[in-house]
Amino acid sequence: MSLKPTPLRRTSPARPRSASRAVSPAAPAGGPAAVPRGLLAVMCACVVLAVGMVAAVNLAVPLLSASELRPSSSALIWIVDTYVVFFACLVIPGGAAGDRFGRKGVLLTGLLLFAAGALLSATAPDTGLLLVGRAVTGVGAAAVLPNTLAVLLHAVPAERRGVTIATWASMTGFGGVVGNVGGGALLAGGSWRWLFAAAVPVAGVLAALVGRVAPVSPRNDRRLDLPGTVLLVGASVALLVGVVQGPESGWGSAVVVTGFGCSGGLFALWTLVELRSRHPLLDPRLFRSPALRSACLGMTAVFFGMFALFYVNASFLQYAKGFGVLATGLGILPLILPLVLGARHAGRLSSRFGLDAVLAAAFACVGCGLLGLSTCGDATPYAGYAAWLVLTGVGLTLALPTLSAAIAVALPPHQAGVAAGLQATTREFGSALGVAVIGTVLTSRFAEALPRDIRAGHDPHTVAQALAVTSPGRAPEVVGAFVSAAGTALRVVGASVLVLGTLVVLEALLVRRRRARS
C-alpha cells in the first residue's frame, strides 16, 4: 500500500450532553467566510512557539555549558531533551484531552503551562529546577500542538482542509528555523535565561488571541487512558536514559542496562494494556495499516535528522567557525529557504511523480545533506556549508507535507486530536532520539579525539570543560577534536536517515506489488 492519503469524510458531530456543552458544528455552514479571521495565523503562531523552543535551546548549549550551573555533558542533553520527551509522550494524551474536554480549553491551558514552565526555567538557580521547568513547558507544548490542528480541522470546510494541513505541517519545519533565529537574537545578550524569559509574554499574548478567535468544536466522550499515558512516558524516558548515560556511565553499566531493559518491558506492557483497553491512548492495531506505519516511521526519521542537525549546528558554528549566537541563528536560514519557496508545490509533485518517488527523493536529500555537512570543517567556507543545508531543506520540503497528510487522514475526523497527536509524537520522539543519539556520539568521540594529556586527570566531556583546563594556545586542538567528533556524529545520523528512508519506501513498493498481484 502506498502512502497516498484518502479524502477525509464529513461526519456529523456528536450531540452534546447538555446545553452547557453545546458546541459549534464540525464545519461551518457558511463556507470559507465563516472561518474566524486570523484563526490560521494564530494557530500557526502557536505551532511555531512550541516547535521553536525545541530548536532554540540548542543555541544556548555553549552558554549553559560555561554558566554557573556547570552541567555535565549528559545534563546538557537532558536540558534539551526533557522538554522534548514530555512533549512527545504527552502530545497524544493532549490531543485526546482536547477531543474529550474541548480543544480550545485544552489549548489555552497548554499555553498557560508553557508560560509557567518557561518562567521557572528562566529563574532556576540550579540544574534540577531548570529540568523541572523544562518538563512543565513540555507538558504545555503537548497540550498546544495537537489542538491547533484539531481546531483548524473542525473550523475550515472540507475543501480547504488539504491546504490547511499542508500549511500547518510547514510550520513545524518553519518553527525550528524561527527558534534558531529568534533564539540567537535573544542569546546575543549573553545570558541563556533571556531565551526562557522571552517565551513567557509570547505565550500569554497567544493565549489571549486564542481566547478571542478560536471557535468551540465538538467533543466526544472517550475516556482518557491514564495507564497507557504513564507507561508510554516511562518507557520513553527509560530508553533515553540508556542512550544519554552510555558515554558517561559506560554501555555495560547498571544504569544503562536497566534503562534499556525497563524501556523494552514497559513498551511491551504498554502494548498489552492498549490492546485490552476500551479507550486506548493509541490503538497498536492502527499500525497494521502499512500507510500509517510507514508515514510514522518516515516522520520519525526526518525529525531525527533535522533536530540532530540543530543540536550540532549551534556548537559547530560557534566553536569551529567563530560565529556569535545571533550569526549562528541566522546561519541555519538556508535550511528554511526550500520550505518557504517550495512547500506549496509538494502536493503537485506527488500527483505528478507519485508519493513513493517524492518520498525517496526526500530521504535521499536529507540523508545526503547530513553526510555532506559531516565533511565540513573549520576551514570549509560557509557557502559550502550552506549548500548542504539547502539540500537538506529540499528533503524536508518534500517530506513534511506528504507525511503529515498521510497521518492526518488515517483516523476519522472525530479523532482529529489523536491524529494530530500521533503526528506530533512521531516528530518529537524523532527529535528527542536525534538529540540523544547525536549528543551521545559527539560526547564519546570528542573525549577520544582529545590529546591524552588534556584528558588525563580532568576527563572533559564538553568543549567548555576542555577549554577550562587548557591554556589558550591549545584551544585549536580542542576545537579540532570537536570538529572531528561532529563529523562522525553527523555521518551516523545521515546514514541512519538513509536506512530508515529506504525501509519506508521499500514497504510501500512491496505492498503495492502485492496489491497488483491480488
Side-chain angles (χ1 to χ4, degrees):
M1 183 180 297
S2 71
L3 292 175
K4 186 174 182 180
T6 56
L8 281 169
R9 294 182 298 173
R10 298 279 294 276
T11 58
S12 299
R15 179 176 297 176
R17 289 183 172 181
S18 65
S20 64
R21 290 183 60 187
V23 293
S24 60
V35 179
R37 180 177 298 178
L39 178 63
L40 179 60
V42 173
M43 295 300 105
C44 287
C46 291
V47 173
V48 169
L49 175 64
V51 177
M53 183 57 75
V54 183
V57 74
N58 293 295
L59 290 171
V61 167
L63 288 175
L64 281 163
S65 181
S67 71
E68 70 280 5
L69 301 184
R70 301 190 183 279
S72 65
S73 59
S74 61
L76 284 173
I77 297 174
W78 279 115
I79 289 172
V80 176
D81 258 359
T82 297
Y83 173 87
V84 184
V85 168
F86 280 85
F87 193 174
C89 295
L90 296 179
V91 75
I92 291 181
D99 291 341
R100 177 67 176 84
F101 300 112
R103 298 170 183 90
K104 180 176 180 178
V106 174
L107 175 54
L108 286 170
T109 301
L111 287 168
L112 295 177
L113 282 173
F114 192 99
L119 181 60
L120 179 57
S121 299
T123 58
D126 53 50
T127 302
L129 280 180
L130 176 56
L131 293 177
V132 172
R134 294 287 288 158
V136 173
T137 312
V139 173
V144 168
L145 191 65
N147 288 293
T148 56
L149 181 58
V151 166
L152 288 171
L153 291 180
H154 282 85
V156 302
E159 62 271 16
R160 289 178 54 186
R161 286 178 183 163
V163 175
T164 299
I165 291 172
T167 303
W168 181 90
S170 66
M171 289 302 104
T172 60
F174 185 68
V177 177
V178 169
N180 274 277
V181 177
L186 291 167
L187 293 168
S191 174
W192 56 269
R193 297 183 187 275
W194 285 106
L195 177 64
F196 302 114
V200 179
V202 173
V205 170
L206 287 176
L209 291 173
V210 168
R212 182 174 181 177
V213 305
V216 178
S217 57
R219 310 176 190 182
N220 62 41
D221 295 326
R222 288 172 58 88
R223 294 181 179 179
L224 296 181
D225 181 14
L226 183 58
T229 300
V230 172
L231 288 171
L232 181 60
V233 172
S236 301
V237 170
L239 174 63
L240 292 178
V241 165
V243 173
V244 172
Q245 293 299 134
E248 288 198 0
S249 303
W251 293 105
S253 64
V255 64
V256 172
V257 172
T258 301
F260 286 134
C262 287
S263 177
L266 289 173
F267 272 124
L269 184 57
W270 173 80
T271 302
L272 294 175
V273 168
E274 295 298 271
L275 289 173
R276 300 180 63 178
S277 174
R278 292 184 59 187
H279 301 288
L281 171 68
L282 176 64
D283 192 343
R285 285 176 286 257
L286 289 173
F287 294 102
R288 291 175 180 172
S289 166
L292 180 62
R293 187 170 61 241
S294 296
C296 289
L297 177 61
M299 191 70 77
T300 300
V302 167
F303 274 78
F304 174 87
M306 181 178 177
F307 280 85
L309 170 60
F310 285 157
Y311 186 81
V312 167
N313 171 77
S315 296
F316 178 83
L317 291 182
Q318 290 182 66
Y319 288 131
K321 306 299 290 181
F323 285 18
V325 285
L326 178 57
T328 297
L330 295 172
I332 201 68
L333 280 179
L335 186 74
I336 196 62
L337 291 178
L339 281 168
V340 173
L341 300 176
R344 64 183 182 274
H345 302 300
R348 192 180 308 166
L349 291 173
S350 299
S351 300
R352 181 172 181 180
F353 298 105
L355 289 175
D356 298 337
V358 170
L359 285 176
F363 288 118
C365 289
V366 174
C368 292
L370 293 170
L371 291 177
L373 288 167
S374 74
T375 66
C376 297
D378 51 355
T380 303
Y382 173 73
Y385 188 82
W388 291 116
L389 289 177
V390 170
L391 179 62
T392 306
V394 170
L396 297 176
T397 302
L398 296 174
L400 293 180
T402 304
L403 294 170
S404 293
I407 297 174
V409 301
L411 294 175
H414 72 273
Q415 288 185 277
V418 176
L422 179 57
Q423 292 196 45
T425 293
T426 55
R427 286 182 172 93
E428 302 312 320
F429 194 70
S431 301
L433 280 177
V435 170
V437 169
I438 202 164
T440 297
V441 176
L442 184 65
T443 298
S444 60
R445 293 298 300 169
F446 173 70
E448 293 175 4
L450 282 173
R452 291 184 178 180
D453 60 322
I454 295 179
R455 283 183 291 171
H458 301 288
D459 193 26
H461 284 82
T462 67
V463 176
Q465 291 172 352
L467 292 175
V469 298
T470 59
S471 62
R474 304 198 65 184
E477 296 178 70
V478 175
V479 172
F482 170 79
V483 171
S484 174
T488 301
L490 283 170
R491 281 191 289 276
V492 169
V493 172
S496 299
V497 170
L498 289 175
V499 170
L500 293 173
T502 300
L503 293 176
V504 170
V505 176
L506 282 179
E507 180 174 34
L509 292 175
L510 289 174
V511 171
R512 177 175 294 180
R513 182 173 298 179
R514 292 193 200 104
R515 294 183 63 189
R517 291 176 179 175
S518 60

